[in-house]
Amino acid sequence: MSRDRLRPSHDPAIKRGLYSLQDNTRVIFSYLTRLFLILCLIFSVSLVLYTSFSSSNKNQFWHRIPHAARTGTVLSPGPPTNISHVLFGIGGSAATWRDRSVYSSIWWVPDVTRGFVWLDKKIDSPRTNINGPPAKVSSPEWTRFKYSSSRSAVRIARIISDSVKLRLPDVRWFVMGDDDTVYYIDNLVSVLSRYDHNQMWYIGGNSESVEQDVMHSYDMAFGGGGFALSYPLAERLVSILDGCLDRYYYFYGSDQRIWACISEIGVPITRERGFHQFDIRGSAYGLLAAHPLAPLVSLHHLDALEPLFPNHNHKESLKSIHQAYQADPPRIFQQTFCHDSKRKWSISIAWGYTVQLHPLLLPAMDLQTPVQTFKTWRSWSNGPFTFNTRPEPDLCKRPVVFMLERVKKGGFNGSLTSYKRIEHEPGNTCKTTQYAQAMSVQRILVSSLKMEPDYWKKSYVQAPRRYCCELMNKGIVKNNSMQLRIRKCRNRESITSGLD
Ligand SMILES: *[C@@H]1O[C@H](CO)[C@@H](O)[C@H](O)[C@H]1NC(C)=O
Ligand SMILES: *[C@@H]1O[C@H](CO)[C@@H](O)[C@H](O)[C@H]1NC(C)=O
Ligand SMILES: *[C@@H]1O[C@H](CO)[C@@H](O)[C@H](O)[C@H]1NC(C)=O
């Protein structure tokens, strides 16, 4: 760069007298300009290096970019969506509400969550459970409609009309579900806030059992897992619903009627993998121990399954999970792997639920595939499911299983969870020394920093990646306990060491 070019005399702007400087000042000025340019260059280069090599601080950088630039097209305009923008519509019945209210008492937060359980008739004490949603009686027209197998399906389908007609202020989303649907509301809000609530969205999940999807529809949001309708879609739907219910009177469920009507509007389902219809039988353990890399939004059909924890009933199991969920909502059930190449152990953590210690080296692709501890919903068959499963391994390849015992938060910006080994039935244990060594671990302690509360809100622009895990104290088992730490992976990190 020649100095002449920086001399302002040739610059029309300068000639106009923008700067009337003495020669010396001009020289100093030109040096300062170059110094400034060089500093700018150094700054931008270091910013690039900083953002590509620092993994833990990347999020702070995120926060400086305006929200609109981060979220691109899937921007929810206006103030971010929160729980008060959601109106829940819960399908219940007077006969079963007393028992079923156990489920909503787990997730319902008085004065925070909004919505109603809709019943077929009045019950003596509408608020059977102090922590539950208030009850309302469905508007009586539902008995007018045609039906073939299930009359109450018409009533449940019309809950969306009853909810919209309340005209409650500031509702962006209607979330419909059953009285035995359990929601994880922080994650639900994270998922919904990714979508523009001023457009027509139909969000949910389908059945795990292929036989159910074939019989009903792959394109339908199954009601037990819960589904969300944005305000504009709900309003459009309600305007055609009553005629539509008579057209599709031959369907079995309310969710299928809703789907058929929404199809007439032309809106497809948007699938989110955290809605769980749980059309499975037996034990959900294998599925929950290998949850997909997506936020847990709902669980359903728990009555029909074995309790999620051995020696717990359904309610106690849900309470344990809820305790972990409250300590770090985005992380609940998220899976992480540790490998110990010296002892040839593979460890899989499903955070807040279970740890599995395999006394052999297993690649990530196996660890992330659910073990089939369950059957299909309708025919109790071994599949097919809408995801891959693997069979339960032989005795000596089976993991030693630890279940959530305690959750600790506070003290630091993180959590400490402990998992206790469950006893095998006598005579049902592998007798190798490798296995005995693994069995000597009584407890696994897992520490982690909390995930950012809006981690899942950003997951359209922030590509998902499983977290990494490392053995603390070189994996030494002290006081029968082993300590692990979950953290973000380093850029170049992968699970290959020791697998060859
Ligand atoms: C939700 O957002 C609205 C703004 O749209 C705000 O007025 C309200 O206080 C928020 N509620 C909660 C629970 O954060
Ligand atoms: C805690 O950690 C999360 C991310 O792990 C971060 O977003 C948050 O700002 C931290 N809070 C404090 C008080 O350090
Ligand atoms: C050993 O583990 C037991 C059970 O968790 C615990 O109560 C005890 O405090 C631990 N002892 C030491 C020295 O850490």
Side-chain angles (χ1 to χ4, degrees):
M1 202 192 283
S2 90
R3 182 173 301 194
D4 273 349
R5 258 205 273 155
L6 275 177
R7 288 180 82 93
S9 53
H10 304 300
D11 185 336
I14 302 297
K15 278 196 185 133
R16 269 186 274 121
L18 200 55
Y19 309 115
S20 55
L21 303 168
Q22 297 299 316
D23 259 12
N24 276 353
T25 323
R26 271 191 221 138
V27 172
I28 292 170
F29 179 74
S30 90
Y31 277 122
L32 282 178
T33 312
R34 269 185 282 172
L35 187 64
F36 176 72
L37 288 175
I38 289 168
L39 283 176
C40 280
L41 189 69
I42 292 174
F43 178 72
S44 22
V45 167
S46 44
L47 192 61
V48 167
L49 289 176
Y50 169 78
T51 51
S52 36
F53 290 113
S54 103
S55 50
S56 57
N57 292 327
K58 206 175 274 177
N59 316 308
Q60 290 165 12
F61 177 65
W62 265 115
H63 291 304
R64 284 192 240 115
I65 301 176
H67 185 69
R70 275 189 271 143
T71 45
T73 53
V74 281
L75 174 69
S76 173
T81 292
N82 62 42
I83 190 63
S84 39
H85 297 120
V86 176
L87 189 70
F88 289 95
I90 300 162
S93 76
T96 57
W97 178 236
R98 204 167 283 277
D99 293 337
R100 289 293 183 88
S101 62
V102 162
Y103 291 106
S104 46
S105 74
I106 301 277
W107 61 271
W108 188 263
V109 187
D111 302 321
V112 172
T113 39
R114 302 163 76 192
F116 303 94
V117 55
W118 295 88
L119 305 175
D120 46 340
K121 55 176 192 253
K122 251 183 130 78
I123 46 173
D124 302 337
S125 56
R127 260 179 197 268
T128 46
N129 194 309
I130 199 75
N131 265 333
K136 273 189 184 294
V137 176
S138 293
S139 59
E141 300 93 296
W142 62 274
T143 49
R144 286 200 326 241
F145 293 87
K146 263 167 71 173
Y147 68 97
S148 60
S149 52
S150 166
R151 185 171 213 180
S152 66
V154 175
R155 184 176 66 81
I156 306 290
R158 291 188 88 258
I159 288 177
I160 186 66
S161 303
D162 287 337
S163 301
V164 167
K165 283 172 188 163
L166 294 174
R167 298 282 163 210
L168 294 177
D170 301 320
V171 176
R172 295 182 180 182
W173 295 94
F174 294 91
V175 173
M176 303 287 121
D178 287 353
D179 50 5
D180 61 341
T181 309
V182 177
Y183 293 100
Y184 293 85
I185 56 175
D186 290 33
N187 296 338
L188 172 69
V189 167
S190 289
V191 165
L192 296 181
S193 62
R194 290 182 203 153
Y195 299 93
D196 177 356
H197 58 273
N198 292 313
Q199 298 184 32
M200 294 197 284
W201 290 105
Y202 171 46
I203 300 171
N206 48 23
S207 174
E208 291 80 3
S209 289
V210 165
E211 59 193 21
Q212 289 287 94
D213 292 313
V214 170
M215 174 175 265
H216 301 289
S217 171
Y218 278 102
D219 298 329
M220 142 185 156
F222 279 65
F227 59 86
L229 305 178
S230 61
Y231 194 95
L233 177 60
E235 210 163 45
R236 189 67 58 84
L237 173 66
V238 167
S239 72
I240 64 164
L241 188 65
D242 284 354
C244 195
L245 286 174
D246 273 337
R247 269 196 293 292
Y248 301 109
Y249 74 94
Y250 50 86
F251 280 147
Y252 170 76
S254 58
D255 46 4
Q256 199 166 5
R257 287 169 167 81
I258 296 284
W259 160 71
C261 301
I262 292 177
S263 310
E264 294 189 357
I265 301 169
V267 174
I269 183 178
T270 297
R271 287 200 191 87
E272 283 283 351
R273 298 191 71 190
F275 287 91
H276 295 292
Q277 166 75 9
F278 264 5
D279 275 348
I280 49 174
R281 304 280 184 174
S283 165
Y285 180 84
L287 189 46
L288 290 175
H291 194 270
L293 192 50
L296 174 75
V297 175
S298 68
L299 296 176
H300 177 236
H301 268 162
L302 296 166
D303 266 350
L305 287 156
E306 290 166 18
L308 301 178
F309 285 76
N311 311 321
H312 275 35
N313 62 28
H314 290 299
K315 189 174 183 185
E316 289 161 352
S317 301
L318 284 170
K319 277 191 160 171
S320 290
I321 287 165
H322 210 76
Q323 225 190 336
Y325 159 75
Q326 285 176 316
D328 194 356
R331 176 162 275 141
I332 191 72
F333 288 115
Q334 295 305 306
Q335 208 187 3
T336 316
F337 308 140
C338 289
H339 281 88
D340 179 348
S341 48
K342 261 194 242 123
R343 281 175 290 200
K344 300 208 186 313
W345 285 357
S346 315
I347 302 168
S348 159
I349 305 171
W351 189 87
Y353 183 48
T354 187
V355 177
Q356 293 167 285
L357 195 169
H358 301 79
L360 71 161
L361 288 173
L362 278 179
M365 64 173 188
D366 286 339
L367 293 170
Q368 72 185 12
T369 305
V371 170
Q372 196 210 311
T373 57
F374 41 82
K375 307 260 184 207
T376 63
W377 177 253
R378 195 177 178 78
S379 62
W380 295 70
S381 326
N382 282 318
F385 299 99
T386 50
F387 48 87
N388 296 104
T389 57
R390 53 192 172 108
E392 287 208 77
D394 301 338
L395 213 53
C396 288
K397 292 191 169 167
R398 236 170 250 183
V400 179
V401 171
F402 302 77
M403 299 300 293
L404 179 72
E405 176 188 41
R406 254 194 292 272
V407 183
K408 248 166 93 178
K409 55 177 177 178
F412 61 108
N413 188 19
S415 68
L416 187 65
T417 43
S418 70
Y419 304 81
K420 190 174 184 299
R421 182 165 72 74
I422 57 168
E423 297 302 328
H424 287 218
E425 292 142 40
N428 205 7
T429 309
C430 171
K431 296 279 190 283
T432 65
T433 42
Q434 259 252 314
Y435 211 85
Q437 195 189 8
M439 288 284 285
S440 74
V441 181
Q442 295 295 333
R443 205 167 255 108
I444 293 187
L445 309 175
V446 177
S447 61
S448 64
L449 278 182
K450 283 193 194 187
M451 277 169 76
E452 307 134 59
D454 59 351
Y455 182 86
W456 296 115
K457 288 186 189 170
K458 297 193 297 209
S459 48
Y460 270 99
V461 280
Q462 181 173 278
R465 184 176 181 189
R466 199 169 49 226
Y467 272 61
C468 283
C469 158
E470 62 187 49
L471 304 165
M472 306 295 282
N473 315 318
K474 300 194 171 79
I476 292 169
V477 178
K478 236 202 287 183
N479 192 19
N480 298 323
S481 301
M482 194 162 76
Q483 224 174 316
L484 310 174
R485 183 167 80 99
I486 298 177
R487 54 161 176 77
K488 282 202 170 161
C489 300
R490 299 180 191 104
N491 266 357
R492 292 165 168 278
E493 193 166 2
S494 66
I495 302 173
T496 38
S497 65
L499 288 183
D500 302 321

